[in-house]
């Protein structure tokens, strides 16, 4: 079996304010790969892809009436877990997220199953957990 080194799983989001959403993602540590805005209204994001570290990412866009996959009822409904390298990094990402208008859901805490984690809501209500536990 060969493995594709490009991300094969993307978290998908819809924002009412995509610029603010992108700013929050950058504060978490995501990097922009592509961003396509509407030619007639650059504040409307048709499609964006942001990379998470070596092999993960998110795709997102703005709420648009003409797109059944990007309607207002989808905003603020997502949850995602981001793995970081160290317990100290959990605290650092948590601080950066709060500084980017995030809301604390769960303060950084050592977990019984290993690692440390915290949860922040972005400005539109999506929840982002960040932790040093990489899974099994």
């Amino acid at each position: 079996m060969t493995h594709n080194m490009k991300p094969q799983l993307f978290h998908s989001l819809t924002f009412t304010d995509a610029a603010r959403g992108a700013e929050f993602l950058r504060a978490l540590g995501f990097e922009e790969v592509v961003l396509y805005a509407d030619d007639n209204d650059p504040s409307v994001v048709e499609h964006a892809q942001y990379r998470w570290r070596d092999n993960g990412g998110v795709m997102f866009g703005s709420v648009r009436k003409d797109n059944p996959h990007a309607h207002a009822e989808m905003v603020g409904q997502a949850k995602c877990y981001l793995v970081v390298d160290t317990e100290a990094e959990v605290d650092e990402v948590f601080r950066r997220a709060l500084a980017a208008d995030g809301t604390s859901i769960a303060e950084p805490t050592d977990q019984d199953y290993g690692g440390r984690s915290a949860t922040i809501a972005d400005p539109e209500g999506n929840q982002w957990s960040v932790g040093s536990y990489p899974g099994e």
Side-chain angles (χ1 to χ4, degrees), residues 9-36:
L9 178 66
F10 289 93
H11 189 47
S12 182
L13 301 164
T14 302
F15 291 111
T16 54
D17 184 342
R20 190 174 184 196
E23 180 182 333
F24 185 84
L25 292 173
R26 287 190 299 273
L28 288 175
F30 283 88
E31 296 176 22
E32 182 179 313
V33 176
V34 297
L35 190 143
Y36 300 103

Side-chain angles (χ1 to χ4, degrees), residues 2-10 55-56:
T2 60
H3 292 282
N4 184 348
M5 295 309 292
K6 289 188 176 189
Q8 296 180 24
L9 178 66
F10 289 93
N55 197 14

Side-chain angles (χ1 to χ4, degrees), residues 9-134:
L9 178 66
F10 289 93
H11 189 47
S12 182
L13 301 164
T14 302
F15 291 111
T16 54
D17 184 342
R20 190 174 184 196
E23 180 182 333
F24 185 84
L25 292 173
R26 287 190 299 273
L28 288 175
F30 283 88
E31 296 176 22
E32 182 179 313
V33 176
V34 297
L35 190 143
Y36 300 103
D38 184 306
D39 291 336
N40 297 319
D41 183 355
S43 70
V44 174
V45 173
E46 297 282 345
H47 170 77
Q49 178 183 333
Y50 276 45
R51 176 182 300 114
W52 177 254
R53 308 218 168 192
D54 295 331
N55 197 14
V58 297
M59 292 185 184
F60 66 91
S62 298
V63 168
R64 297 183 314 280
K65 291 179 185 176
D66 63 339
N67 187 327
H69 301 290
H71 52 87
E73 291 79 17
M74 298 174 75
V75 173
Q77 301 297 315
K79 294 179 180 163
C80 187
Y81 178 69
L82 306 170
V83 178
V84 296
D85 293 328
T86 67
E87 293 176 358
E89 195 174 359
V90 170
D91 294 23
E92 176 57 31
V93 171
F94 182 78
R95 283 191 294 275
R96 288 196 321 256
L98 292 179
D101 294 328
T103 302
S104 175
I105 302 296
E107 300 269 330
T109 306
D110 294 332
Q111 300 300 324
D112 293 340
Y113 52 83
R116 184 170 178 81
S117 67
T119 303
I120 312 98
D122 68 26
E124 297 201 14
N126 299 298
Q127 290 187 20
W128 299 88
S129 293
V130 57
S132 58
Y133 177 73

